[in-house]
Structure formats: structure tokens, C-alpha cells
């Protein structure tokens, strides 16, 4: 099977069917795309050149993070039932700060990253902030790409199936996240490099690790 990564096109994303992929670049000026023999290579191509985005000083700033202490044999995939995992978020609303974190056993890092997004958006809903300018910052390319590169909408249009016909992992959470995103009018999703010099990102990382320490 080949994987066609469309970085710039009508509907960016990774396709496994060339006619479908070709339709995204035909007639699109400046299209950027490439074929690969593995999904991992295609995802690396999509992620290359991802840059951090500056945050508006008027925005509510939200940091989310998910993590796991995986002792399984595949990073981000197989986990053992006793493996610890946790999510965390913090909302910085012009001098006011609110955050939360919780843990779960035997789940992947990716599940925790999505859960952190969901919990943060649910809290913003509870605070009636849906119509305000919000900058949500995460180091998870897994979640950000799914939202910003059109993967989420593609799964939804196919009845929550990927291009290969399989359901995306954590389907129920993606469905929940999709419904939440529709309720926010001025949400900017921003990537930051993990474990670097971003104080907010380091804070949520510390929160989720404290949660796992207590489990």
C-alpha cells in the first residue's frame, strides 16, 4: 500500500488512494505532496516544517498535555494494564488561572492528549467562553494535525472511518471533540515544542506527572 501525503492542496491529509489524492492537487496552485511506502514516513513529511504560532495578547490562553509511562513494546501503541497515564490542562484568563488533571491506567499517550483537549474545552464551555478569542496550545502533533489538516473532517465524512476503511483509534473521543470544536467561534490551535522553554507547556507536563506520581 502507498500513502500519499498532501501537505498543500484542496483538502490536506494522508490518502491511500491515488485518484482521491490526485483530486486534491489537480488545479491547486502551489500544491505540495509526495508518495510514501509507509504511513510513518507520510506523517513525518506532513509534520516537517511545523512552526510555533504567536499568541494574541487579547486571547484566553489554554495549555493541554497528555502523557503515559508506557512499559509496553510499542511506543504510543501497546500498553500494559498497570501502566500509568494522565492528562492536564490550565486556562489563563487575563490574570485568572484554572486547571485540572486526572489519570487512568492502561491507556495510550494519544488518548490522554485528546482527553486533555476535551476537558479543557468542556471547562471553557462551563465558563461560557465559547465566543471569546482562545488560543489552545499543545505539543501534540497527533491531535493538532487531525484537526488542522482535515483528517478529523475526513473521518467524519466517511462515517468515522479512515481512508483505509478502518476506524481511527479513540473514535469515541474524536466524535466528542468534533462536537465541542463546533461550539467555539474564535479558537486558534497552536503547536509548541514539548519539554522546551514554554512555561505553560512545562506546567501542564508537571501537573500530569504529579498525577501519575500519586496513582
Amino acid at each position: 500500500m502507498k500513502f500519499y501525503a498532501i501537505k498543500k492542496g484542496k483538502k490536506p491529509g494522508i490518502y491511500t488512494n491515488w485518484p482521491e489524492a490526485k483530486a486534491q492537487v489537480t488545479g491547486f496552485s502551489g500544491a505540495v505532496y509526495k508518495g510514501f511506502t509507509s504511513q510513518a514516513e507520510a506523517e513525518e513529511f506532513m509534520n516537517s516544517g511545523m512552526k510555533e504560532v504567536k499568541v494574541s495578547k487579547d486571547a484566553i490562553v489554554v495549555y493541554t498535555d497528555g502523557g503515559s509511562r508506557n512499559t509496553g513494546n510499542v511506543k504510543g501503541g501497546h500498553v500494559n494494564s498497570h501502566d500509568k497515564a494522565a492528562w492536564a490542562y490550565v486556562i489563563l484568563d487575563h490574570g485568572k488561572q484554572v486547571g485540572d488533571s486526572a489519570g487512568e491506567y492502561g491507556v495510550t499517550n494519544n488518548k490522554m492528549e485528546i482527553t486533555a483537549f476535551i476537558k479543557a474545552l468542556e471547562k471553557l464551555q462551563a465558563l461560557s467562553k465559547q465566543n471569546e478569542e482562545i488560543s489552545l496550545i499543545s505539543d501534540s502533533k497527533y491531535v493538532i494535525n487531525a484537526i488542522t489538516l482535515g483528517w478529523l473532517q475526513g473521518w467524519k465524512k466517511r462515517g468515522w472511518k479512515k481512508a483505509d476503511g478502518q476506524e481511527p483509534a479513540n473514535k469515541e473521543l474524536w466524535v466528542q471533540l468534533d462536537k465541542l470544536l463546533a461550539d467555539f467561534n474564535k479558537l486558534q490551535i497552536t503547536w509548541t515544542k514539548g519539554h522546551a522553554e514554554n512555561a505553560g507547556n512545562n506546567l501542564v507536563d508537571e501537573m500530569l506527572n504529579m498525577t501519575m506520581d500519586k496513582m
Side-chain angles (χ1 to χ4, degrees), residues 52 63 65 137-139 191-206:
E52 297 188 39
Y63 292 93
D65 199 10
I137 301 170
S138 170
D139 61 12
W191 176 77
T192 187
K193 184 178 181 180
H195 311 290
E197 297 180 357
N198 187 308
N201 179 253
N202 289 335
L203 172 60
V204 284
D205 181 68
E206 290 172 9

Side-chain angles (χ1 to χ4, degrees), residues 49-95:
M50 181 179 279
K51 297 178 181 179
E52 297 188 39
V53 180
K54 292 183 179 180
V55 177
S56 167
K57 65 179 181 180
D58 298 320
I60 295 171
V61 181
V62 183
Y63 292 93
T64 70
D65 199 10
S68 67
R69 295 174 182 174
N70 184 358
T71 61
N73 58 14
V74 180
K75 182 179 180 182
H78 175 74
V79 293
N80 292 316
S81 60
H82 60 270
D83 289 346
K84 298 176 181 180
W87 55 265
Y89 73 79
V90 65
I91 298 170
L92 306 175
D93 185 4
H94 304 97

Side-chain angles (χ1 to χ4, degrees), residues 176-192:
Q176 189 177 354
L177 180 58
D178 177 63
K179 291 178 181 177
L180 284 166
L181 289 169
D183 200 30
F184 289 83
N185 298 319
K186 301 176 183 177
L187 178 64
Q188 178 190 51
I189 297 174
T190 306
W191 176 77
T192 187

